[in-house]
Amino acid sequence: MSRLNPLTPLGLLLVLGAAVSFVLDGVALVGLHGWLVVVLACGLRVGVAELARTHLVFVPFALGVLMTNAVSRSGAVLAELGPLDVTDVGVRVGLALALRVLVVAVPAVVVGRRTDPTRLVVAAMQHLPLRPRGGFAVLTAHRMLADMPQRWQLLLAAGRSRAPLDRRGAPRLGVCGYARAAMGLLVGGIRRGNRIADALDVRGIGAPARTARLQEPFSRADALVAAVVVLGAVTAAVGPSTAVGP
Amino acid sequence: MRARWKTRDVMLTVVLGVTFGFLYWALVQAWTALSVLAGPFGDLTQHVLLGGWLLVAPVAVAITRRPGSGVVAEVMASIVEVVFLGSPVGPMLLIAALLQGVGSELPFALTRYRRFGWGIYAVSGALGALLVFGFSAARAGWFGSDLLALRLGLQIASGVLLGGLLARVLVSALRRTGVLESFAIAREPAPART
C-alpha cells in the first residue's frame, strides 16, 4: 500500500460502493466479500483479529437493516411476529442489504485506517482540483480532528462538574448538557480556525504559484493493482451466482 | 459573493465540516443504539434523526455566504465519517452528502444568499432531505416497500426540524458568542435577542 498512490485505493472503494449499490444478489455479495477479505488480508496484511473486530462493529447495524426489511416487504409469508409478517422476499432483500453493509464498510474502514492523510492531500492537490489553500486547511482540520475526542471529553467533564446530581449522587448531564458541550466544541473550533487561517495567510498560503516538495505520481503498480482487484471482484461476484443459478 | 473566498472562509467551512463530522459520529452511536432497541423498526427510527445530517450545510452558508460552502462543508463532514471514523454506509456517503449539500444550499442560492429567514431554512432542510431520500430509496430498493410514504414523511419532517430550523437557532447562538465577527454574516444587523 505504501507503494501506491493514495488515490488508487480510495478510487477503488468508490467504484466498489457504486457498483454494489445495484446488486441485490446475496450469493454474488458473499463471493465479492470473500474476495475483498482476501485482498485485505494478503494485499494489506490485515490480521485476522483486526478483520474480525471491524466486522463486529457493523453487525448491529446490519442486523437492524435485516430485521426491518424482513417484515416490511410483500411476498410469501414465512412466519408471523404479532402484526408483522416475515416474508421470503423480505428476508432475501434484507440479507442482501445487510451483506452490502459489510462489503462496503469493512474495506472502507480498513483502508481508511491505513491511508496517510498528508500523502492523500498532496495527491489530491496534484491530481484533483484541490488548491493548496484548501489542501492545507483540510490537513489542519485533520489535526484538529485528532484531538477532538479529548476536547469533547473535557467539555463533558466540565459540564458534569456543574450538573445537578441524581439520587445516587452521580451528575446528570442530560440532553442539554450534551448540546452545550457540542456548542463549546463548535465555538472553540471556529476560534482556532480563525487563528490558523491568519497564520496560513501570513505564510502566503494563498499565493498563485507554488512548488511542492512531496510528489505523488501514479505508477504502473497503481494500474496493476487496480486491474487485479477489479477483475478478481467481478469474477468472485459473477462466478458463484451463475454457478448456483438465479 | 462577488469577492473571493478568504482564507478564514475556507478554514471555517472545513472546521465546521470536521466538527460536525465528529458530532455526526456521536449521533451515529445514538442512532445504532436506537435502531437495535427498536428491533424490526430500527431502520425507521433512523429516519427520525436523518435531519441532523443536513445541519452543517445551512450553517456554513449562513455564516460565510459563499456559493458552494454548504456543499463543501457537508462533503467534508462525510469524508471525516467515512475515512476517519468509519461509517456503515461507506464511501457512497460522499455522494449522499453531495446531494444533501446541493439540496440544502439550493434555496439560499435561489435567493442569491440574501435571505436567511425561518422559511428559507425550512425549505433548505426539506429539499436536502428530499434529494437524499430519492438517492437512498433507489439504493435500498424502498420503492417496492410498504413503508415508502411513511419513510418519506419522517425524513422530510426531520429535515425541516433538525436540518433546517435547528440550523437557524444554531447560527444565531454562534453569532451571539462573537466568533463570527470577521465573516459575511456580521455585515447584517444582529437580530433582536429572543
Side-chain angles (χ1 to χ4, degrees):
Chain A
M1 178 127 178
S2 60
R3 267 172 288 162
L4 293 181
N5 187 307
L7 290 177
T8 307
L10 243 52
L12 284 174
L13 283 177
L14 266 182
V15 172
L16 169 74
V20 152
S21 300
F22 306 102
V23 180
L24 272 177
D25 178 359
V27 184
L29 286 171
V30 171
L32 186 57
H33 195 57
W35 166 248
L36 290 172
V37 169
V38 169
V39 169
L40 293 180
C42 302
L44 300 183
R45 308 200 187 294
V46 182
V48 178
E50 189 186 345
L51 272 177
R53 240 182 300 125
T54 316
H55 276 85
L56 274 184
V57 172
F58 295 111
V59 164
F61 182 78
L63 274 182
V65 172
L66 171 61
M67 287 194 288
T68 305
N69 279 284
V71 298
S72 66
R73 282 169 198 276
S74 49
V77 177
L78 297 179
E80 290 185 12
L81 290 175
L84 304 165
D85 296 336
V86 178
T87 62
D88 61 340
V89 179
V91 170
R92 215 174 49 233
V93 174
L95 263 182
L97 288 178
L99 266 172
R100 193 195 272 174
V101 169
L102 293 182
V103 168
V104 169
V106 170
V109 169
V110 171
V111 170
R113 232 180 260 148
R114 279 166 178 67
T115 301
D116 176 30
T118 309
R119 287 187 57 202
L120 179 63
V121 168
V122 168
M125 285 197 281
Q126 279 165 10
H127 301 288
L128 301 176
L130 175 66
R131 272 191 293 247
R133 202 167 55 164
F136 285 109
V138 169
L139 272 183
T140 330
H142 173 253
R143 301 260 156 76
M144 284 172 71
L145 181 66
D147 59 21
M148 214 168 268
Q150 201 191 350
R151 275 208 294 143
W152 177 242
Q153 290 305 332
L154 192 71
L155 284 164
L156 286 184
R160 267 189 218 106
S161 70
R162 282 172 288 144
L165 303 181
D166 67 4
R167 219 175 294 146
R168 278 168 301 168
R172 272 191 41 198
L173 206 50
V175 175
C176 277
Y178 280 96
R180 237 173 265 135
M183 189 73 191
L185 197 69
L186 258 179
V187 173
I190 293 176
R191 243 183 225 131
R192 282 174 72 183
N194 284 345
R195 279 203 303 275
I196 292 168
D198 295 346
L200 289 177
D201 269 340
V202 166
R203 285 161 179 75
I205 222 74
R210 293 181 63 83
T211 52
R213 178 176 62 87
L214 301 167
Q215 300 288 328
E216 289 292 345
F218 280 108
S219 69
R220 219 172 285 160
D222 290 295
L224 189 68
V225 167
V228 169
V229 170
V230 170
L231 281 180
V234 171
T235 324
V238 175
S241 70
T242 46
V244 174
Chain B
M1 283 148 270
R2 279 142 293 275
R4 279 185 72 216
W5 283 56
K6 279 180 272 175
T7 307
R8 278 193 168 205
D9 293 328
V10 179
M11 207 57 219
L12 176 99
T13 309
V14 175
V15 164
L16 279 180
V18 170
T19 313
F20 274 92
F22 177 79
L23 291 174
Y24 288 171
W25 176 73
L27 190 61
V28 168
Q29 310 297 316
W31 187 25
T32 316
L34 202 61
S35 73
V36 172
L37 272 184
F41 292 109
D43 214 18
L44 275 187
T45 58
Q46 299 171 349
H47 297 333
V48 177
L49 293 179
L50 174 119
W53 268 256
L54 303 168
L55 193 52
V56 65
V59 171
V61 170
I63 296 175
T64 65
R65 316 247 154 131
R66 307 265 177 230
S69 58
V71 180
V72 172
E74 191 75 50
V75 171
M76 268 312 293
S78 72
I79 290 179
V80 168
E81 272 178 278
V82 172
V83 179
F84 302 112
L85 303 170
S87 155
V89 191
M92 291 322 277
L93 197 62
L94 300 184
I95 312 287
L98 197 66
L99 284 176
Q100 285 177 357
V102 169
S104 300
E105 191 165 336
L106 202 58
F108 297 107
L110 289 180
T111 53
R112 309 193 61 195
Y113 303 91
R114 278 184 190 151
R115 294 181 44 205
F116 292 87
W118 290 105
I120 297 279
Y121 279 96
V123 173
S124 155
L127 213 56
L130 190 66
L131 275 191
V132 82
F133 179 80
F135 176 69
S136 32
R139 276 195 75 221
W142 287 343
F143 283 120
S145 165
D146 316 342
L147 300 170
L148 186 71
L150 183 60
R151 283 181 197 270
L152 181 62
L154 275 179
Q155 294 207 352
I156 299 270
S158 170
V160 168
L161 278 179
L162 293 180
L165 303 181
L166 181 61
R168 189 165 195 268
V169 174
L170 191 60
V171 168
S172 53
L174 278 177
R175 188 154 183 207
R176 281 203 296 274
T177 64
V179 287
L180 304 181
E181 285 311 311
S182 58
F183 295 99
I185 189 176
R187 265 178 249 139
E188 72 178 33
R193 279 194 71 157
T194 45

